[in-house]
């Protein structure tokens, strides 16, 4: 495309010469167009660099947040995220849940434990989310009233995660609202 622009510009300059314009005016016009093209190339290079830096920043943000793991890891099918206050009891429960998930699903499930940096004493935060083929809240001690995670509830979560990362669930794209009867 740039070669076509150069050819068109050269042809126009030749026409100007045929029309009787002086060599100085042709040289001046050629230099103006050359400077214009260099300026355009610099602006294009700056835009490309800005897009590259923005793409790198978005990629770094996605890696930091764990986004895209399911697209880049050929084995992992879901990430179970536990959000807690970070108490010793909560940490022990997360370890139990992690062991149960790894025992049942192996490398098909990653577990992340995020501790609330400013926990509220009166809010017994303990949530378990599944980020897989769809996003789901699996357990919420505080606002859904699910209570503490017991061994039975852990097994139920392990079973639910198994269903959600199955080959059948892979066919589901996105989160679909529950249909009321």
């Amino acid at each position: 495309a740039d070669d076509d622009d150069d050819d068109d510009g050269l042809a126009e300059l030749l026409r100007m010469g045929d029309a009787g314009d002086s060599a100085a005016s042709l040289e001046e016009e050629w230099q103006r167009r050359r400077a214009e093209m260099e300026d355009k190339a610099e602006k294009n290079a700056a835009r490309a660099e800005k897009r590259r830096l923005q793409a790198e920043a978005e990629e770094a943000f996605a890696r930091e947040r764990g986004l895209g793991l399911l697209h880049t890891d050929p084995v992992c099918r879901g990430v179970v995220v536990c959000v807690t206050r970070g108490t010793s009891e909560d940490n022990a429960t997360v370890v139990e849940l992690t062991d149960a998930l790894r025992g049942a699903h192996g490398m098909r499930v990653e577990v992340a434990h995020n501790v609330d940096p400013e926990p509220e004493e009166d809010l017994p935060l303990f949530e378990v989310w599944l980020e897989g083929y769809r996003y789901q809240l699996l357990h919420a001690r505080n606002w859904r009233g699910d209570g503490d995670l017991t061994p039975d509830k852990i097994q139920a979560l392990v079973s639910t995660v198994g269903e959600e990362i199955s080959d059948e669930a892979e066919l589901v794209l996105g989160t679909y609202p529950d249909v009321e009867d």
Side-chain angles (χ1 to χ4, degrees):
D2 288 341
D3 289 341
D4 291 342
D5 291 344
D6 289 348
D7 292 344
D8 292 342
L10 182 59
E12 186 176 336
L13 286 175
L14 290 173
R15 280 193 296 277
M16 288 172 64
D18 289 343
D21 285 355
S22 70
S25 67
L26 289 174
E27 178 67 22
E28 184 178 306
E29 179 65 15
W30 177 253
Q31 293 300 331
R32 185 191 69 75
R33 288 184 184 196
R34 191 167 145 205
E36 193 176 277
M37 288 175 18
E38 288 172 358
D39 186 48
K40 183 178 177 183
E42 286 177 16
K43 286 180 181 178
N44 286 342
R47 274 194 291 272
E49 179 65 10
K50 183 178 178 182
R51 284 192 301 270
R52 185 187 67 77
L53 291 173
Q54 183 178 1
E56 284 179 2
E58 289 171 359
E59 183 180 324
F61 177 75
R63 269 196 315 273
E64 178 182 311
R65 299 262 337 257
L67 304 174
L69 180 65
L70 300 180
H71 302 290
T72 58
D73 187 323
V75 177
C76 184
R77 292 184 174 205
V79 179
V80 174
V81 181
C82 300
V83 183
T84 72
R85 292 184 300 166
T87 64
S88 58
E89 296 85 11
D90 288 351
N91 292 342
T93 303
V94 171
V95 169
E96 287 179 46
L97 179 59
T98 301
D99 291 345
L101 286 165
R102 291 259 164 77
H105 307 300
M107 300 302 291
R108 294 186 306 151
V109 175
E110 288 290 327
V111 179
H113 181 195
N114 297 336
V115 176
D116 184 354
E118 298 177 14
E120 298 175 29
E121 291 304 316
D122 61 336
L123 183 67
L125 178 66
F126 193 110
E127 294 178 358
V128 180
W129 292 82
L130 173 63
E131 298 176 4
Y133 299 118
R134 59 187 183 150
Y135 294 89
Q136 278 188 293
L137 176 64
L138 301 175
H139 178 85
R141 174 171 59 196
N142 57 330
W143 57 273
R144 210 166 72 173
D146 291 342
D148 290 328
L149 267 181
T150 63
D152 290 341
K153 289 180 182 177
I154 289 175
Q155 286 310 309
L157 285 179
V158 169
S159 176
T160 299
V161 169
E163 293 168 9
E164 290 294 320
I165 65 170
S166 68
D167 291 338
E168 292 80 25
E170 187 177 11
L171 301 174
V172 177
L173 299 175
T175 302
Y176 299 99
D178 292 333
V179 178
E180 302 277 332
D181 290 307

